Amino acid sequence: MVRVIAVAGIAVQAVLGGEVVRQLLHYWLPVIHACFAQIVFGALLGMAVFTSRWWVTERPQLADSGSPSIHAVVISNAEIIFFQVVLGAGFRHQEIPLWPHIAGAFIVMGMVIWTAVVLRKRFGASPELSRARILLHAIFGIQFLLGLGAYWSRIATVGAAQPMPVMVWLTVIHTVVRCAAVRISVLIVLICYRIVLVAGSAAGARRQVAV
């Protein structure tokens, strides 16, 4: 099923890309194209994880006694990061002003810090979640600095007759690292669902008894 969704997503993304060119970047199509790409990459990431040796190998299950559950926390983290992608694409393609994207960056910062703190307090002994937490922090820090650099480059080159290389490169790198932030947020969700018991589930209860 994941493979079918991934292939269908790639086909839809190709159609959207063609429409972006045909419609000359109008009607929010570039924003939809940019955001749907994250969904397609998420499906491909899921397919890679589900078929990996790590996923299919039996692993000890961790209990989560906190509230809200770690699953709710990491899903909210991924959703907020994805929404920031929407805001960034909207600003980049001149569909919305800059301030929602700036406000979103600080909301993402708060969510990332909270997610990392929860992961450290509840699952500090888990090597998988510890590495994922550190990677999430590192990627967000780099992305935040790149966002500041991209904004500075727009101000510094505002009078230029055409986009200057410094602005192009900082914007492109900012966009690429943003994609990496989405990937790691989705990966953390998958890791949590693989090694942390889902509270209230029958399968989770059976696993907990077995452990």
Side-chain angles (χ1 to χ4, degrees):
M1 178 58 71
V2 176
R3 285 178 292 182
V4 173
I5 294 174
V7 172
I10 292 173
V12 172
Q13 181 69 353
V15 173
L16 282 173
E19 287 301 305
V20 167
V21 176
R22 283 196 338 109
Q23 300 294 339
L24 300 178
L25 307 181
H26 290 162
Y27 312 116
W28 277 81
L29 280 173
V31 179
I32 297 172
H33 181 61
C35 297
F36 190 72
Q38 307 306 314
I39 298 174
V40 173
F41 275 120
L44 295 174
L45 174 63
M47 183 165 54
V49 173
F50 296 150
T51 57
S52 68
R53 180 178 300 177
W54 179 86
W55 184 272
V56 300
T57 302
E58 188 65 27
R59 297 189 174 279
Q61 299 297 288
L62 306 175
D64 179 20
S65 58
S67 180
S69 71
I70 190 60
H71 302 94
V73 172
V74 296
I75 287 175
S76 298
N77 179 66
E79 290 174 341
I80 289 175
I81 290 176
F82 179 76
F83 186 64
Q84 176 67 351
V85 169
V86 177
L87 295 177
F91 166 69
R92 190 170 63 256
H93 295 288
Q94 302 178 351
E95 298 288 354
I96 63 173
L98 176 62
W99 70 263
H101 186 49
I102 293 178
F106 287 99
I107 294 174
V108 171
M109 177 189 292
M111 189 67 207
V112 165
I113 292 173
W114 182 44
T115 301
V117 169
V118 172
L119 288 171
R120 180 177 58 81
K121 285 186 175 180
R122 298 186 195 176
F123 308 105
S126 168
E128 295 97 338
L129 290 175
S130 294
R131 286 193 293 266
R133 167 176 54 85
I134 294 170
L135 188 58
L136 177 67
H137 255 165
I139 288 177
F140 175 76
I142 294 171
Q143 176 70 348
F144 192 83
L145 293 176
L146 285 170
L148 293 176
Y151 180 58
W152 164 82
S153 68
R154 284 177 177 269
I155 295 176
T157 62
V158 67
Q162 61 182 12
M164 302 301 291
V166 62
M167 189 194 78
V168 173
W169 278 106
L170 283 174
T171 302
V172 169
I173 297 173
H174 180 57
T175 303
V176 171
V177 176
R178 175 203 67 190
C179 297
V182 175
R183 299 304 170 277
I184 187 60
S185 69
V186 173
L187 182 61
I188 290 174
V189 172
L190 297 177
I191 292 174
C192 285
Y193 271 95
R194 178 62 183 86
I195 67 175
V196 181
L197 296 171
V198 178
S201 69
R206 288 195 299 270
R207 287 179 183 176
Q208 194 166 17
V209 170
V211 172

